[in-house]
Amino acid sequence: MTAPAARIDALRRQIEDANHRYYVLDDPAIPDAEYDAMMRELEALEAEHPALASPDSPTRTVGARPDGGFPEVRHAIPMLSLANAFEDPDGGDDDRLRYREVAEFERRIEDRLGTRAPRFSVEPKLDGLAISLRYEHGLFVQGATRGDGATGEDVTANLRQVRSVPLKLLGGAAPAVLEVRGEIYMPRKAFEAWNAQALARNERLLANPRNGAAGSLRQLDPAVTRRRPLAFFAYGVGEVEGLDLPPTHSETLALLRELGFPVAPEVDVATGFEGLIAYYRRIGALRDTLPYDIDGVVYKLDRYDQQRVLGFVSRAPRWALAHKYPAQEQATVLRAIEIQIGRTGAATPVARLEPVQVAGVTVTNATLHNADQIARLDVREGDTVIVRRAGDVIPEIVRVVEDRRPPGAVPWSMPAACPVCGSELVREEGEAAYRCTGGLACGAQRKEALRHFASRRAMDIEGLGEKQADALVEYGFVRSVADLYALDVPDLVRMKAALDATTAADLLQAVADSRGALRLDDEARALLEQDPPDWRRAEFLRRHLQVDPAAGKLATKWAENLVAGIDASRRTTLPRFLFALGIPHLGETTAKTLAQWLGRLEFVREVPAVVLQALPDIGAEVARSIATFFEQPGNAAVVDALLAAGIRFEDEGRPDPALRERLGLAHLLAALPVAKLGDKSAQRLAETYGSLDALLQANASGWAGAGASAAGAENLQAYLADPAARAALVAADRAMARLLEAAPARERRAAGPLDGKSVVLTGTLASMTRDEAKARLEALGAKAAGSVSAKTSFVVAGEAAGSKLAKAEALGIEVWDEAKLLAFLERHA
Ligand code: IVH
């Protein structure tokens, strides 16, 4: 075989393989841009060596033959393809060079027709898949894919599920036959929503809207197609019988609109080369904001009589041209997968790429969403990947080119530790994302943490706005919130100088302008002249930028005020402090509950989740979140540092005596994740043994004898066989004991105002939760009951109280509204 023959052969095989994967499997292997390049090389070789041309070359055929999943449909009029034109980036500013292929296309038409500046229908080139809809006597009877142009697949049932495909022609038009051709596509919003949902449910993502449309339409179950948000735009007609078409394509599109078909709103007419290029630019500028993906625009000679003069070459008309935009998908090499920590600690894998131009923008990073997505795509470092960028969406990796995987590439897995702070990365049940448990000690979370810490409802540090908070973290003055308390006026002046200067030259200027208030040593000047990228870092500024506050205004009022604000925040309250720590799920109300019930920070820090869960309005998730936060050594170190910096609480007190009613051995046992060991069994065990130590001396048969169910006792024995579980229970018991020990004995009031009263709470209160109201009434001596009876002393009824209120009224029992409750509590506070 000669060299060109071998190359032609190789190209044909590669293109056929790509066709099969794209059209039949809906699983393209190579980026479109590479496919186009191979096609053009093949066309050029065949033109150069006519003897090597062949009628079944992919340059003469369209798409790929169907693979048999659906019945075949022969198209009465073949569904053709379009010749493509690309931009020549070397063409410079001269449009006739830059868009040479368009110029040649237009010139050829002018020459054939013998007229200047013919008129074209100009349309967006939708990136979906071509279909033909057949209407007989006004009714939709058959819909088919393009297939190889001559034979497609019958997907009528699926097309009936697409809302924008009319089932009946509008306006009573009922030609014997009308075939409408157009594009099925997935709107971009729908595509993004679909993928967001798939991501949350841990399902496979659609690679791009075109793939989504093709895959959806070729579902064997039409119900599946119905759930996919597909749409249709008409762009032409096939066989027509019993209807006189208008003399131009643009009028035909208008007619199709009248018959009920959606036509892309961007379609227009344009004349001559300049008109075509102006349209190309206009749509190109809109491309990112269009609600659907397009890969180019299409120019079609508008008058049918002129189209007939031009005719066809092999697989495409000479009167039409697809002018392509830079591809939205490109292949590049994935250098590394790195973990980025978001402000809530979510760990997102990010792809670092060999820089690549995608749709006119250089892309170096792409999102990989989460660990499951990486596993699904099986992306590995070193892989060649397809990157997609469309609209304003963050570029993403849509697939791997497996044939180009370097030997030795290994599957990726989520690291165990946060790359920023080294804390454990954990994945909560049912969540797709891993999270860094480092909290305040993690650099990536510091900015957000500092903003929150300083905010009005937290530590309320005056003068520390979000911009300054970010800068303090960014330049390294503040690593953890505790560092705030070590800042002095010169530090803040240095940071301000850095914040106001965006280049090293700006900083030199500021120094010159400061008339001695700022001084730089020679070493720093030398470094700045090289413009080192990290000249703003705290180490650099502290070492090299001397501040003389006495020498002028530069020791700004702002810095002094901020230092005073930071200082003032040292005296605070326990709820503010707890809220300021930014513990997930810990809001202001929970912070107040913790402070009120536990009294001191040390108890909040040390009690385990089961104890926290015994407090009003603290559920299992919140309790776990709080306990986990304080268990992290990084967080503990920050809290210690804050205390060492002199933070004091005005309101620390002793734990609430009422804890005794909420806590105890029975509570600990009932909270264990042991099946068949319910509240009643826990109660009996606690009464029999009196202490955890005594209980642990016994075994399952003893526990069963003490009133636990046989199964519950067995399960408890199995649970405690794990030394870690046993140790955790003992630790919880000890922490609980210390807490209760610190609680004062309940003062036996000579007469609590509600001693001996039985109250029932119902409905929703505006000013506090029902649990809180109950606790406060109990503190005044009341017993709270769950249901209304003749013995009930009074009922507290909030908003939307129901049957309990009705019963109280029926029994003639006193009812308090919220105002009365508040007034009473106020009087007895
Ligand atoms: S006209 C004879 N118009 O591009 C002309 N095609 O390679 C046949 N396409 O398979 C096509 N938007 O799927 C035409 N406004 C448009 C189009 C369009 C998208 C697709 C179509 C076709 C491919 C041509």
Side-chain angles (χ1 to χ4, degrees):
M1 226 189 272
T2 60
R7 181 65 189 150
I8 286 176
D9 197 49
L11 284 168
R12 284 181 186 161
R13 264 185 289 118
Q14 281 173 11
I15 292 170
E16 271 154 19
D17 178 57
N19 277 346
H20 181 72
R21 296 196 55 164
Y22 185 97
Y23 291 107
V24 179
L25 306 179
D26 293 327
D27 179 25
I30 56 169
D32 291 355
E34 273 183 40
Y35 176 89
D36 288 338
M38 289 199 294
M39 197 63 135
R40 291 161 75 76
E41 186 186 347
L42 181 57
E43 278 165 357
L45 282 171
E46 287 176 351
E48 224 175 286
H49 308 278
L52 296 173
S54 139
D56 64 353
S57 168
T59 54
R60 311 266 181 112
T61 56
V62 168
R65 268 194 87 78
D67 71 342
F70 293 85
E72 292 190 354
V73 177
R74 271 203 79 77
H75 298 300
I77 295 182
M79 290 182 76
L80 296 178
S81 180
L82 293 169
N84 289 322
F86 298 86
E87 182 165 330
D88 180 359
D90 300 331
D93 288 341
D94 184 341
D95 282 353
R96 290 202 176 258
L97 291 179
R98 199 174 179 88
Y99 306 112
R100 187 178 44 80
E101 293 166 326
V102 178
E104 285 169 4
F105 162 78
E106 201 263 349
R107 178 57 44 87
R108 226 173 14 246
I109 291 175
E110 287 186 347
D111 292 350
R112 281 280 180 111
L113 296 178
T115 52
R116 295 288 110 189
R119 190 178 63 232
F120 293 90
S121 171
V122 290
E123 310 166 10
K125 184 170 188 297
L126 302 153
D127 201 7
L129 81 163
I131 55 152
S132 183
L133 305 172
R134 188 176 172 90
Y135 293 78
E136 289 178 3
H137 306 290
L139 295 180
F140 175 52
V141 294
Q142 190 174 57
T145 62
R146 182 170 71 167
D148 63 3
T151 307
E153 286 173 313
D154 184 338
V155 287
T156 313
N158 287 344
L159 285 168
R160 285 186 191 281
Q161 310 296 342
V162 177
R163 258 182 265 139
S164 49
V165 168
L167 298 177
K168 198 168 173 271
L169 300 183
L170 277 188
V177 177
L178 173 65
E179 273 183 18
V180 175
R181 287 173 176 180
E183 200 85 350
I184 286 284
Y185 67 96
M186 186 178 267
R188 202 181 269 163
K189 273 253 157 50
F191 165 76
E192 280 156 21
W194 180 273
N195 269 357
Q197 206 172 59
L199 201 60
R201 292 192 193 143
N202 233 335
E203 290 165 3
R204 220 184 117 123
L205 303 193
L206 300 171
N208 51 44
R210 198 209 79 86
N211 251 242
S216 307
L217 200 61
R218 301 181 75 259
Q219 288 291 330
L220 289 171
D221 177 2
V224 175
T225 310
R226 182 169 53 227
R227 287 196 294 273
R228 307 270 179 111
L230 299 185
F232 173 72
F233 272 139
Y235 56 62
V237 293
E239 193 183 3
V240 181
E241 229 186 273
L243 174 76
D244 284 332
L245 284 184
T248 66
H249 181 74
S250 54
E251 287 166 291
T252 302
L253 292 181
L255 172 67
L256 289 177
R257 267 203 190 107
E258 281 166 25
L259 295 177
F261 294 93
V263 173
E266 293 78 19
V267 300
D268 205 345
V269 289
T271 52
F273 173 77
E274 276 77 24
L276 299 182
I277 298 306
Y279 183 73
Y280 176 83
R281 292 218 168 94
R282 178 154 72 80
I283 300 300
L286 288 179
R287 185 183 188 191
D288 278 356
T289 60
L290 289 178
Y292 37 82
D293 268 12
I294 60 171
D295 57 350
V297 290
V298 182
Y299 311 135
K300 297 172 187 167
L301 195 55
D302 199 26
R303 280 169 50 176
Y304 289 136
D305 59 341
Q306 294 182 337
Q307 287 187 2
R308 278 190 289 274
V309 174
L310 268 293
F312 296 84
V313 280
S314 60
R315 58 178 195 137
R318 280 204 200 85
W319 43 262
L321 183 71
H323 190 184
K324 301 270 219 123
Y325 292 115
Q328 284 176 318
E329 291 185 6
Q330 288 294 355
T332 188
V333 172
L334 174 80
R335 286 179 179 160
I337 298 176
E338 287 176 8
I339 300 300
Q340 217 161 53
I341 305 295
R343 61 189 169 91
T344 57
T348 310
V350 178
R352 305 289 179 213
L353 306 167
E354 293 290 345
V356 62
Q357 285 279 320
V358 188
V361 169
T362 304
V363 172
T364 50
N365 301 315
T367 178
L368 283 157
H369 299 294
N370 59 39
D372 292 323
Q373 171 70 353
I374 296 180
R376 265 190 300 262
L377 294 172
D378 186 20
V379 185
R380 307 178 184 191
E381 291 180 332
D383 267 342
T384 295
V385 294
I386 306 297
V387 184
R388 172 184 149 83
R389 187 195 81 88
D392 307 328
V393 186
I394 304 167
E396 61 179 349
I397 289 186
V398 297
R399 58 184 189 272
V400 170
V401 185
E402 266 166 48
D403 308 350
R404 296 186 205 161
R405 169 163 288 161
V410 289
W412 186 83
S413 62
M414 192 62 135
C418 169
V420 180
C421 71
S423 303
E424 207 185 335
L425 289 181
V426 296
R427 178 185 207 160
E428 272 173 32
E429 251 189 60
E431 276 197 39
Y434 280 77
R435 272 174 209 288
C436 166
T437 51
L440 292 185
C442 178
Q445 296 175 63
R446 272 181 215 140
K447 279 189 189 171
E448 189 59 26
L450 182 60
R451 286 174 173 210
H452 174 76
F453 185 83
S455 66
R456 202 174 42 79
R457 281 152 51 206
M459 299 300 276
D460 192 19
I461 300 179
E462 237 171 275
L464 189 56
E466 296 198 342
K467 192 172 152 207
Q468 289 91 8
D470 285 359
L472 283 169
V473 174
E474 175 115 14
Y475 304 156
F477 285 96
V478 168
R479 295 178 60 76
S480 91
V481 291
D483 294 340
L484 265 187
Y485 294 92
L487 291 174
D488 56 17
V489 169
D491 270 347
L492 292 171
V493 172
R494 289 183 186 104
M495 187 200 76
K496 188 90 173 33
L499 184 61
D500 294 342
T502 48
T503 63
D506 285 350
L507 186 66
L508 288 169
Q509 191 59 49
V511 170
D513 292 346
S514 76
R515 293 202 212 95
L518 292 176
R519 264 175 290 114
L520 271 173
D521 56 32
D522 293 343
E523 188 189 346
R525 283 180 189 280
L527 284 170
L528 283 176
E529 263 141 35
Q530 300 163 17
D531 211 0
D534 59 350
W535 65 269
R536 289 160 176 250
R537 310 224 34 95
E539 304 92 86
F540 177 93
L541 293 167
R542 281 206 177 110
R543 215 169 71 200
H544 299 295
L545 184 62
Q546 263 66 57
V547 178
D548 179 1
K553 289 203 300 272
L554 259 161
T556 56
K557 207 85 210 113
W558 171 77
E560 285 165 7
N561 286 346
L562 181 49
V563 168
I566 291 169
D567 188 43
S569 76
R570 285 189 164 95
R571 255 166 304 112
T572 184
T573 65
L574 184 52
R576 273 185 180 277
F577 180 76
L578 291 172
F579 177 60
L581 293 176
I583 300 169
H585 305 300
L586 193 158
E588 285 173 285
T589 312
T590 307
K592 281 188 193 136
T593 304
L594 288 172
Q596 185 190 326
W597 284 86
L598 302 181
R600 308 182 63 82
L601 176 63
E602 66 185 83
F603 292 127
V604 182
R605 291 180 72 171
E606 77 166 30
V607 295
V610 281
V611 170
L612 296 171
Q613 229 174 299
L615 305 181
D617 302 318
I618 295 188
E621 193 187 0
V622 180
R624 203 166 348 103
S625 170
I626 297 169
T628 308
F629 178 89
F630 288 110
E631 275 163 25
Q632 296 297 322
N635 294 338
V638 170
V639 173
D640 287 340
L642 286 167
L643 295 175
I647 300 233
R648 291 295 172 263
F649 314 110
E650 297 164 344
D651 58 344
E652 267 193 326
R654 297 170 73 183
D656 194 308
L659 278 174
R660 286 184 217 289
E661 279 111 62
R662 293 179 170 261
L663 287 174
L665 182 54
H667 169 80
L668 279 194
L669 295 175
L672 292 177
V674 173
K676 302 249 164 358
L677 189 76
D679 289 354
K680 288 230 171 66
S681 297
Q683 195 69 43
R684 287 191 207 113
L685 288 175
E687 276 162 17
T688 307
Y689 291 100
S691 75
L692 180 64
D693 292 342
L695 180 126
L696 291 178
Q697 304 276 309
N699 57 20
S701 62
W703 300 331
S709 69
E714 287 292 331
N715 293 342
L716 180 60
Q717 178 143 324
Y719 177 77
L720 291 173
D722 173 7
R726 203 181 175 93
L729 180 61
V730 170
D733 184 60
R734 300 284 182 272
M736 186 177 74
R738 280 193 294 276
L739 178 65
L740 292 177
E741 225 165 83
R746 214 212 246 290
E747 307 144 32
R748 266 277 132 240
R749 246 186 280 251
L754 295 177
D755 277 351
K757 303 270 190 202
S758 167
V759 303
V760 173
L761 293 110
T762 180
T764 314
L765 300 170
S767 56
M768 65 185 96
T769 65
R770 216 152 62 205
D771 254 356
E772 214 176 315
K774 182 169 150 223
R776 294 182 64 180
L777 291 169
E778 282 171 347
L780 299 174
K783 277 238 170 308
S787 59
V788 179
S789 73
K791 293 202 198 100
T792 305
S793 313
F794 61 90
V795 169
V796 176
E799 213 33 51
S803 62
K804 289 179 192 176
L805 174 60
K807 190 162 177 198
E809 280 165 349
L811 294 173
I813 289 165
E814 184 181 349
V815 176
W816 290 15
D817 63 9
E818 185 160 357
K820 178 152 183 187
L821 172 72
L822 289 175
F824 184 86
L825 292 175
E826 179 93 341
R827 248 180 293 132
H828 297 280

